[in-house]
Amino acid sequence: MGIVERIKELEAEYARTQKNKATEGHLGLIKAKLAKLRGELLNEENSGGKGGGEGFAVSRSGDGRIALIGFPSVGKSSLLSALTDTESEAAGYEFTTLTCIPGNLIMNGCRIQLLDLPGIIEGAAHGKGRGREVIAVARTADLILIVLDAAKEGVNRHRTILERELETVGLRLNKNPPDVTITKKKLGGIKFNAIVPLTKLGDNPQKTIENILKEYKLHNAEI
């Protein structure tokens, strides 16, 4: 069974599992397995595995990197051309941009690399279109700029779809990272210390965390 099939199987298990206090630990473990598999899927794209995309490996340059993310034909290429000295082809049909096109924006003495990425569609996190390749590049950015068609957003709800697709692969927009510290050790097993009440990890949070760490083959650490 391939990675995509395993992800779909776990998603189905998550969907059919009742959500209550008794199942929170099990659901947390499923989410950990999904996060690990999705990471492996994106790493496979980055390493040039099956389906690796020509034109997506753009060298990082400047003081920061911004990825333009959006559905096809919402104006990403026009925005890149307007803000930088790069001409990115724009046309009145979908999927004009087929590769990653970089441009440089100079602002207050800083050089910012803008990446015009091909449009993605619902299901991108599972490989529809060139979704996985686009998202893999987006993960290398310091900032993600979602480009929307304002005239149609009330009907299309593209922002909601894009945020869901990105969160599926661990890109949580406009949220602070969880306040969790993991220190790997050579011996001693798992030592766990919570400084706030844990309400989403079931009746035995430490056991849930130990099971999650096992998914990453981490058996000795301070959490």
Side-chain angles (χ1 to χ4, degrees), residues 4-23:
V4 173
E5 288 74 20
R6 288 159 64 193
I7 288 174
K8 289 181 178 178
E9 188 177 82
L10 285 168
E11 287 177 336
E13 182 180 352
Y14 186 89
R16 65 173 177 262
T17 301
Q18 290 187 341
K19 278 68 174 179
N20 55 51
K21 187 69 175 179
T23 62

Side-chain angles (χ1 to χ4, degrees), residues 23-44:
T23 62
E24 282 178 346
H26 177 63
L27 292 171
L29 184 57
I30 293 176
K31 290 171 73 174
K33 291 179 178 179
L34 282 170
K36 182 172 181 289
L37 288 171
R38 287 166 179 158
E40 290 176 359
L41 196 61
L42 291 179
N43 289 336
E44 183 179 274

Side-chain angles (χ1 to χ4, degrees), residues 180-223:
V180 178
T181 301
I182 300 176
T183 305
K184 295 181 181 180
K185 301 289 185 179
K186 292 184 178 179
L187 299 170
I190 301 297
K191 295 183 179 179
F192 174 72
N193 180 39
I195 58 176
V196 296
L198 302 178
T199 60
K200 301 295 183 181
L201 293 173
D203 295 328
N204 190 341
Q206 180 163 350
K207 183 65 175 177
T208 300
I209 289 171
E210 288 176 354
N211 288 335
I212 290 172
L213 293 176
K214 286 178 183 177
E215 288 296 316
Y216 293 87
K217 296 181 172 56
L218 189 57
H219 304 288
N220 300 287
E222 291 184 1
I223 314 299

Side-chain angles (χ1 to χ4, degrees), residues 46-160:
N46 278 336
S47 62
K50 183 178 179 181
E54 180 182 350
F56 279 79
V58 175
S59 298
R60 190 182 183 94
S61 65
D63 301 295
R65 169 180 275 196
I66 298 176
L68 305 180
I69 293 287
F71 272 67
S73 299
V74 294
K76 297 184 299 298
S77 297
S78 297
L79 182 61
L80 182 78
S81 298
L83 294 177
T84 73
D85 55 3
T86 299
E87 288 295 327
S88 184
E89 182 182 358
Y93 51 87
E94 295 187 346
F95 299 106
T96 310
T97 302
L98 300 177
T99 62
C100 177
I101 300 176
N104 289 311
L105 169 66
I106 308 299
M107 179 174 290
N108 297 329
C110 295
R111 188 157 65 97
I112 301 170
Q113 184 183 52
L114 293 183
L115 300 180
D116 177 17
L117 294 168
I120 61 176
I121 57 177
E122 190 168 8
H126 297 98
K128 283 189 178 181
R130 303 192 75 173
R132 289 204 302 267
E133 295 161 300
V134 172
I135 291 174
V137 175
R139 287 171 68 102
T140 69
D142 302 299
L143 177 71
I144 290 176
L145 181 61
I146 292 180
V147 182
L148 303 169
D149 184 340
K152 300 178 181 178
E153 182 58 19
V155 177
N156 293 336
R157 298 177 57 82
H158 282 174
R159 176 179 174 178
T160 300

